[in-house]
Amino acid sequence: MPKLAYLGPEGTFTEEALRVLAPDAERLPSSNVTAALEAVRRGDADGAVVPLENSLEGAITTTLDELAWGEPLIVTAELLLPVDFSLLARPGTEVGHIKRVFTHPAAITQCRNFIARELPDAVVVAAPSTAAAAQEVSLPGSPYDAAIAARIAGEHYGLVELATGIGDRADTVTRFVRVSPPGPLPAPTGADRTSLVVFLTDDHPGALLEMLTEFSVRGVNLTRIESRPTGDGIGRYFFHFDLEGHVADARVGEAISGLHRICADVRFLGSYPRADGLAPQAKRGTTDVDFAEAAGWLTRIRTGRV
Ligand SMILES: O=C(O)C(=O)C[C@]1(C(=O)O)C=C[C@@H](O)C=C1
């Protein structure tokens, strides 16, 4: 039974994602994303489940940065989890009396309209996770009157639900990934995604275009591109790419080796089945058969067998 670290305590959205991705795993709650990934790097856990991006808020930058630096880890699975927030409080609390709300920063952003409309005068304080907020609010002497978290966290910590479905959009999803130490990759399924981190050699006109060209000429479709500061000063960035296909696909492998030739560093973050199951349509001339045929042709002309 694998042991998987996750952003705890019990009742987080991350735990819900873990239960779907690995129902039989032993769960190791961590106090933040960094600690969950460190547990994997130290060998205390076989893997971790962490949030990567949200359909409303965008990238979970801690996760992106953690995967870009330090001992390499790879993504082996992903999940799209609908996130539905509730306003939770100790029994007897009235909405009109809520002065201090505790929740994860991602929940603050995703419930902005509800907070502005229903709790305009409340102070909203950032918590390590939504479930950590619910746990804190459940304590009798808590300085917080309410938490914003998943309904299940309320049930777990004995809170009552004062409002439900309070996210700005009902269709919000968070994309979670299962992260493992480097090792064998999940086999290609025909509907895969590959993740990469790319560092430029230097800043020059067209640097981004040169990277994108490696994908474009081989018919590789990107599903996400994100720039993150390197920390070396204003204007210094590295890039996260998600793309359609598996590194075992000729067009993906060729594009990545092209990047490896022209960039200072390419960190491969894994190839894994897409949660939405969408299979890419290879453009004419970019299938594995096309690449193999072209390689055979090149060998023939190089060896005088024209
Ligand atoms: O706090 C939690 O419950 C989490 O699992 C973290 C997290 C996040 O980091 O985005 C996950 C999903 C929701 O978007 C809100 C919070």
Side-chain angles (χ1 to χ4, degrees):
M1 190 163 67
K3 192 199 275 186
L4 299 185
Y6 71 99
L7 172 64
E10 251 181 86
T12 58
F13 291 102
T14 310
E15 189 202 358
E16 208 178 322
L18 192 165
R19 284 172 180 273
V20 178
L21 280 167
D24 300 327
E26 184 185 337
R27 294 185 297 279
L28 180 68
S30 303
S31 47
N32 52 58
V33 166
T34 302
L37 295 176
E38 268 317 301
V40 185
R41 290 184 167 121
R42 273 200 316 271
D44 294 345
D46 304 305
V49 173
V50 290
L52 192 93
E53 63 174 322
N54 175 267
S55 61
L56 198 58
E57 199 202 348
I60 314 290
T61 52
T62 306
T63 304
L64 294 190
D65 292 348
E66 282 295 338
L67 294 177
W69 307 106
E71 281 298 302
L73 295 169
I74 58 163
V75 175
T76 49
E78 70 170 14
L79 175 81
L80 300 176
L81 185 83
V83 280
D84 188 12
F85 296 101
S86 297
L87 182 68
L88 306 166
R90 290 179 294 279
T93 309
E94 283 173 32
V95 176
H97 293 148
I98 294 174
K99 300 262 179 301
R100 288 172 68 81
V101 179
F102 203 31
T103 192
H104 189 272
I108 302 177
T109 319
Q110 291 172 65
C111 301
R112 198 186 289 138
N113 293 343
F114 175 85
I115 293 169
R117 195 177 62 243
E118 304 293 334
L119 303 164
D121 302 320
V123 175
V124 186
V125 180
S129 72
T130 56
Q135 189 180 40
E136 163 62 42
V137 169
S138 74
L139 303 175
S142 173
Y144 303 102
D145 306 309
I148 294 175
R151 167 182 289 166
I152 196 158
E155 288 166 10
H156 192 81
Y157 297 106
L159 301 176
V160 292
E161 202 170 26
L162 299 183
T164 187
I166 65 170
D168 289 355
R169 286 187 59 143
D171 56 355
T172 304
V173 290
T174 298
R175 180 176 161 225
F176 290 88
V177 288
R178 178 174 175 169
V179 172
S180 308
L185 304 178
T189 64
D192 304 292
R193 200 187 310 280
T194 293
S195 298
L196 299 175
V197 180
V198 181
F199 297 86
L200 295 173
T201 43
D202 59 355
D203 183 22
H204 60 271
L208 184 57
L209 184 62
E210 285 164 18
M211 287 193 287
L212 296 178
T213 301
E214 297 294 333
F215 298 117
S216 160
V217 296
R218 292 169 180 106
V220 175
N221 190 32
L222 297 179
T223 55
R224 188 175 61 91
I225 174 168
E226 212 97 48
S227 58
R228 293 290 304 145
T230 62
D232 296 332
I234 298 294
R236 302 298 194 136
Y237 292 96
F238 66 93
F239 299 88
H240 270 264
F241 290 105
D242 282 347
L243 47 105
E244 286 181 344
H246 194 285
V247 69
D249 298 336
R251 64 181 176 283
V252 174
E254 295 270 339
I256 295 180
S257 40
L259 284 178
H260 176 78
R261 277 189 286 104
I262 65 169
C263 296
D265 194 17
V266 177
R267 179 177 275 210
F268 174 66
L269 289 185
S271 291
Y272 47 92
R274 284 178 72 144
D276 57 17
L278 288 176
Q281 285 297 318
K283 269 178 23 184
R284 202 176 71 79
T286 67
T287 64
D288 282 7
V289 172
D290 293 324
F291 275 95
E293 191 282 325
W297 173 82
L298 187 60
T299 303
R300 287 196 300 281
I301 62 169
R302 280 175 170 166
T303 52
R305 289 181 286 138
V306 180

